Amino acid sequence: MKEEFLLGNGAIALGLLEAGCQIMTSYPGTPSSEILPEVVRFSKAANLNTSIEWSINEKVAFDNAFAAAISGKRAACCMKMVGLNVAADSFMSAAYIGNIGGLVIISCDDPGPHSSQTEQDSRLMARLGKVPVFDPTNPEEAREMIKAAFDLSEEFQVPVMVRPAIRVCHARQNIKYDKLESNLTKADFKREPTRWASTPKFRFMQHKALNEKHLKISVKFDSFAPFNMHTLEKGKSYPFGVVTGGVPSSVIQDMFEDYGRDDIPVLKLCAPYPFPEKLADEFMAACDKVLVIEETDTVIEYMLRDKRKTLGRLSGHVPMEGELVPEKIEGVLNKALSDCGLSPLSDHDCGQEAFELTGGLELPIRKPTLCPGCPHRASFYSIRKAMPKAIYPSDIGCYTLGINLGVVDTVLDMGAGITMGSGFWNAYIQDDVKKPIVATMGDSTFFHSGTTGLMNAVYNDSRFVLVILDNHITAMTGMQPAITQDKRVDGQKGNSISLETIVKGCGVEYLKVVDPYDTKAMIKMVKNAAEYAYGENGGIAVIIARHACVLGFMDQAIVEKIPVKVTDDCDECGFCHKRFECPALYVDVENKKTEINQTLCAQCGVCLNICPQGAIVRA
Amino acid sequence: MRTVNYVLCGLGGQGILFMTKIFAMTALNKGYNILGAETHGMAQRGGSVVSHLRIGKARSSLIRAGAADFLLSMDESEAYRYLPYLKKGGKLFTNAPSDKFPDERVAAYLEKQDIEPRAMEASKTAMDLGSPRSTNLAMVAFFSAFGFGPLNADDLRATVDNMSPGPFKETNLKIFDTCYETGRKMVNKLNIFD
């Protein structure tokens, strides 16, 4: 027996392997990114034969797992919740068709949002795709749920979703575990075209069969402790009860224990769909009013039928957006209890006075920023210098932070750097305006969903400059290898893909490669690219700005260390802070002078070329 | 045992996760249940980093505002930022010059909340002893001198000993012992006035 202080994502990984998951696919995205590397770690330590891959995107990950599951193996794919949007096409069909070996989809939600574009609730996607869903409260429960999810998936031949929220993924808990063993089930795909390749007529029948499965699962979920359960005492009625699930349910349980409130019954629904109707009815019948506290949307609240009894988001008691952090839940409970004429949990102001006090201290605003030495900073600086009047559609990754340098105008979703580039071109050219546009996209994002947009732009004769920021890695989510490198996640050799070949294969005629650390060369190159793009026989012009990530590749990224200093020629114009925004460049509070923080400085030397006064020099 | 709540905060790069690990591993060795919450992803690029650690039988990882027993901050501004998490009568430890802490604008609040602020120049001490990146364990040592909570100084020191890679062990333990002494002096001084 071993014990570890495991990350929630590690507990999920452990659960996957304990459940005998044989095939594991994923695309990184906060808060899901650590699951797959943890599967690799556990799998290697126990010498299991698990097949593990970083897929090129979430749809690819889903399909690979699905094929394994209909071959009889246990398979899982995991992603962040917006990644499930990318896999949605497959996801929506999967429950109709069903599976043989267990298929578990792990879609990690980010209420807050802390590191995402939306606060979407994956349980709603589960409902749309008619996929049963589990909603764990903490790492230990997530681990147990993964096993239950596989069992349910095999029992009913339907994919099952587990949606841990960020406070499960990035919580840590002490977890004990035994020796892991390989699942030796062999692939055995049995041809059955009416099922696996069903036409609409058969899809209708599959839909009907799926609905019947759901009725059965709903009944199963009625008595599905400890995931679904209530704390009612038989025959007793209550003025007020709480319906909850997922992370908030653990917060509420802890809080009721702290305040000694065993007079308030709780209905915990951590397997909320298909909805356990009988269990919910029983709870509703025993309570005069119920307050629904769930993250992030109104899944349970909509499914409770008696709206007159129900308090929650629809009644204005629970905020419609943002993470339900414990002090917020305490405030919600206090208000709802008072509204029902009952004594609140506490007379505590939930930190309000202190938050107001500290809010008034004008504490430093620490906005996210690119690392010192980051090659993206150099690229953004050059782009802005070369084409200051352009529209800058960009994309999702570390380089979204180019917004700080004024070189990111739009961020919609993965791939939209390119598709919005062509969209802007179309919108302006209709008015006979050749609008300058420089789109930016990282290498991983380009492979994830850039190529279709690029082919579309070439085919439809859009004109813009595309800069692909190639740092050889998926940096924001924790340094997952890019497919331009030949190393796979488990250390095996991969067949690397050439970015140049793909760009040319998309029909692009103009392609240049530059090291963005050479800002002079890059500025010139962007200008030339624009001349081509907007010229008589132009087209899409692509520049690959290639330089390794300074965090991911440490020593290789900065070959020649160049210490720098600021001379007295500095006239405090602020240009370097505004257009270069390196964390190592700061204004000293006492002498009001721009200085270099030598501890932070990566010694990349890029800033030597940016000061209008030439005041940044080699030290 | 009642759940004991630690909020640990500071700036990106100061090693909050390592600091959390020192407490967590010590608690694990003592056989306690532990739950923690960390900052990852884009939030991590933001500079302000916080970690929650709960020792006991809690089910949820986040500590609610007004419920932390201890707040340890490696930066003065971050100490103020996370101050709302500290409960009435909670203990506050900061890396700051002890004669300049706290800001006069929060002094009244601290007094009302019965929170006694304790500060030492942990990063300066760490730097003077040759390891500018060891503010984290300097703060752990300073805190441990006061004997608060279920983890005692010897156990915390043993964890630092175990977790420090060979070449850093000696410096790390020297920093630990020095900061522990600074804390002890503060305790003894208070005792005289008792």
Side-chain angles (χ1 to χ4, degrees), chain A residues 59 67 80 98 113 135 166 179 198 204 222 230-231 234 296 307 361 373 387 405 408 524 538 616:
Chain A
K59 182 210 149 32
K80 70 182 296 174
D135 181 15
I166 192 164
K179 199 167 166 278
S198 60
F204 171 79
D222 281 332
H230 61 58
T231 58
K234 214 173 179 132
T296 318
K307 295 285 175 275
L361 294 178
M387 295 180 71
L405 287 83
V408 169
K524 202 167 157 218
I616 304 178

Side-chain angles (χ1 to χ4, degrees), chain A residues 5 34 115 138 170-174 250 253-254 257-259 326-327 330 348 353-354 358 364 366 368, chain B residues 11 24 28 33-36 38 40 42 45-46 54 57 59-60 64-65 78 80-81 85 105 109 112:
Chain A
F5 185 43
E34 301 84 2
S115 196
N138 60 31
H170 293 164
R172 269 189 197 271
Q173 195 167 13
N174 58 308
S250 60
Q253 263 181 301
D254 280 347
E257 216 168 87
D258 283 357
Y259 289 119
E327 56 271 16
E330 186 175 6
H348 194 257
E353 182 192 349
T358 56
R366 305 195 195 277
Chain B
L11 303 175
L28 206 61
N33 281 327
I34 34 178
L35 249 176
E38 294 178 357
H40 290 241
M42 188 183 267
R45 298 269 189 280
R54 316 190 67 189
K57 58 185 174 106
R59 299 171 192 84
S60 58
R64 66 178 182 277
E78 297 311 304
Y80 299 133
R81 200 186 304 278
Y85 289 89
R105 289 172 291 177
Y109 173 81
K112 192 177 82 180

Side-chain angles (χ1 to χ4, degrees), chain A residues 50-190:
Chain A
T50 324
S51 159
I52 308 162
E53 77 166 40
W54 280 128
S55 306
I56 202 162
N57 69 27
E58 294 85 352
K59 182 210 149 32
V60 173
F62 188 98
D63 295 356
N64 278 342
F66 183 74
I70 70 170
S71 306
K73 294 199 166 186
R74 286 198 160 189
C77 65
C78 64
M79 57 200 72
K80 70 182 296 174
M81 77 298 192
V82 288
L84 186 59
N85 301 345
V86 177
D89 206 2
S90 312
F91 180 76
M92 293 302 153
S93 284
Y96 279 50
I97 298 170
N99 47 279
I100 306 288
L103 176 61
V104 172
I105 299 111
I106 302 165
S107 178
C108 303
D109 281 2
D110 183 13
H114 295 265
S115 196
S116 302
Q117 310 92 295
T118 70
E119 291 194 283
Q120 67 193 71
D121 187 330
S122 291
R123 297 174 306 158
L124 283 173
M125 283 291 268
R127 202 178 163 196
L128 189 59
K130 297 206 163 184
V131 170
V133 61
F134 288 4
D135 181 15
T137 60
N138 60 31
E140 182 65 66
E141 191 172 65
R143 170 204 193 181
E144 295 305 321
M145 268 183 184
I146 298 284
K147 294 179 239 176
F150 271 111
D151 290 344
L152 188 80
S153 175
E154 278 176 9
E155 184 185 346
F156 291 94
Q157 298 202 352
V158 66
V160 174
M161 181 198 283
V162 177
R163 80 99 191 212
I166 192 164
R167 294 305 172 187
V168 173
C169 296
H170 293 164
R172 269 189 197 271
Q173 195 167 13
N174 58 308
I175 286 179
K176 292 194 175 85
Y177 61 95
D178 275 321
K179 199 167 166 278
L180 296 165
E181 276 170 35
S182 287
N183 177 351
L184 299 174
T185 306
K186 300 284 176 233
D188 182 20
F189 174 70
K190 294 195 170 58

